[in-house]
Every structure is written in C-alpha cells, then in structure tokens.
Amino acid sequence: MMQNMTITEFLAQHLQGEHSAALTAMLSDIAHAVKQIAVVIDAGAIAGNMGSLATESVQGVNVHGEVQKTLDVLTNDIFVEAIQKSGYVAGMVSEEVVDPIKSMVKNGQYLLCFDPLDGSSNVNVNISVGTIFSVLKAPNSQPELADFLQAGTEQICGGYALYGTSTMLVFTTGDGVNGFTLDKKTNTFLLTHPQMQIPQNTTEFAINMSNYRFWQEPVQRYVDECLQGTEGERDKDFNMRWVASMVAEVHRILVRGGIFMYPSDAKARMGKLRLMYEANPMSFIVEQAGGGSSTGLQRVLEVSPTGIHQRVPIMLGSKNEIDRIASYHQKKSKRK
Ligand code: AHM
Ligand code: MG
C-alpha cells in the first residue's frame, strides 16, 4: 500500500531515466542530513546552539559549558558533509557561504544549491523552520561560479524539509510532488502525502502586511481587494496567514491551497528571497503540484540568474490567484 512506503522503496520504484541512480543516492544523503538536522533543532536550548548569524555571535556556550556553533552554521556543516557521501555532487552553493563550496568528490556530475535553515529568525521562538534544496546538472566536474547560474527550468530536483510538528521531506524530480513524514520510532521517512496538488482557487493569502506602504500598486490592489472581501470586487472573504518561515507557508499551500508573496517593494527592489536556493526549488515544487509561481512579470523558473545569492520577487500558490496578480502587474507595465 502506497501510504506506508518508505522513501527508499519509493526512490527504487519511482525514479526513472538518466538521473535516477544519482538522484536516488543524493536524496538518500539529503534524507540523512535532514534527520541529523531534526535532532539538533529538537535539542533546542538544551544544546545551546540556538540563534542565527543574523542575531547572535557565531559561537555560544551550551548548558554543559561547551562552545557551540549557531544553528545556521551547524546545519550548513551537516548538509555539506552529508551530501558529498554518495559521490555525485561536484559543487555546492549555500545561503550561509559567500562563494561556491568546493566538493571533495572527484568527477561529481551535479550541483546543489541549498538554504540549510530557512526562517532561522524563528528558531529562538520555537516556530517551524526548514531546509530548501535544488539540484542542477554540473557542466563540468570542477565547477566555477558561472556554472551555477542556470535558470530554474534546468533543475532536476527541488525539495524542502520542514521541521514542524512533525519532520517532513517533500520533493519533486519533475514527476509530481511527494511528501514523506519522519517516523521517529524507526527513524525512517514514510510516504504520507503522495502526489500533492494545490487547489486552483483559494481564499487565503500570506504576505508581510507591515510592508504595505512600500509595495507597488498591483500588489496593493490585489491585497486591498482581498481585504474588502464580500464588500468589494472579489465578493468573497479572505483569510490571512504569515508565519515568516517560507517552508511552512509553502507546505500549508501544498496541503490546503493559498498564495504566498514576497514582492518587490520600494525598500527591496528585488524582494527578499533568494533565487537559486529559495525561489527556484519552491517554484519547481509548486508548479509540479499544479500551482503557479511568478515575479509578477515572468515565471520565476525562467529568470536568468546573474549571481548565486541574487534575490527575486516571488508570488506562488493557487494558480488562478497567481494568474490574477500577474495580470495586475502586466496591466501596470503596459500602462507604463
Ligand atoms: P532567511 O533565509 O534569512 O531565514 O529569510 C527568509 C525568510 C523566509 O522564510 C520568510 O518567508 C521571510 O524570510 C520572512 O521575512 P520577514 O521577516 O521580512 O517577514
Ligand atoms: Mg533562507
């Protein structure tokens, strides 16, 4: 029965084509890293490695008096070590490291871009965080920075781990989206969310409303109409959520629909989120689940990257709402 299939069984049965052996091995390594990260996140303040580089010093002292790294650094190190195990990864880009990370692997054929701990400002307040990853083909086994600059359409796998009320691993290899829950009794990921689909319509949106005055007119118009509810253009009431943890928001959208926006605004022209290891893998997943993902003016997956840490405006989720907000942007750009 599909529901109880382990991730190992799933990979053996479902992955086909030229990348299947490599993807099976890399996803097994990633699953292993996620289990280790879940353990350090679970340990929380007891281990003394809470906090993030943005708010804390790089090192702290745990309750046992041992010097500890912050969780951003610790999770980055766990990921980097784990994903080189099976010998396929030629190079890596991490949100935590300025330059591409060289791999110890000889003749690696793939590139990995990842954010080891997304939403890390939530760690100290015990709210869900995640890991996001994207797999690309390596043009050569000793990749240079330019080799990473591939559009999201070139991804062969995109995924995330959510460290929430349960730990989940969700990914796509271009054949739908499947979600696995970590069974802590057996330390095994089990298929609990096969072929996830995002409803086309929704009445739930997610955006950081405190930025309202900085948004461009199409985003203000869309949100204004949602807020007007039955008294406005849309003639229905909307609900709003903002976790400030992209992985948690995308997961909610995959489960019950909705849209998530981190648009361009007057403070941050390119938005906040990073193209290579946040926007691209999430857009791949959302499109594979029947949703849409747009900068407002183009499909996120078609943005040509110019830098490994570049930011991009993003709106993703239920298809009909994303089409609507994109149409508001297009009307404005035609008026210009
Ligand atoms: P991070 O990579 O530094 O954790 O930042 C990304 C996070 C996303 O998970 C989330 O959607 C967003 O930042 C929240 O931003 P804000 O605090 O501006 O609402
Ligand atoms: Mg991040």
Side-chain angles (χ1 to χ4, degrees), residues 54 72 95-96 115 117-122 132 207-208 210-211 242-249 260-262 267 272-274 277-278 311:
D72 305 70
E95 177 170 324
E96 297 304 325
D115 180 355
L117 195 66
D118 186 60
S120 54
S121 66
N122 282 327
I132 313 174
I207 192 163
N208 185 336
S210 70
N211 292 324
W242 188 248
V243 187
S245 193
M246 187 195 201
V247 177
E249 322 266 14
F260 166 90
M261 293 178 275
Y262 217 115
K267 268 191 313 180
K272 175 178 182 185
L273 299 175
R274 317 292 184 132
Y277 40 76
E278 293 176 330
R311 297 173 199 271

Side-chain angles (χ1 to χ4, degrees), residues 198-213:
I198 299 174
Q200 303 277 295
N201 295 309
T202 184
T203 51
E204 193 163 72
F205 67 98
I207 192 163
N208 185 336
M209 284 291 294
S210 70
N211 292 324
Y212 182 94
R213 71 184 190 282

Side-chain angles (χ1 to χ4, degrees), residues 251-264:
H251 190 69
R252 183 185 64 248
I253 289 168
L254 279 167
V255 171
R256 69 178 192 208
I259 71 159
F260 166 90
M261 293 178 275
Y262 217 115
S264 154

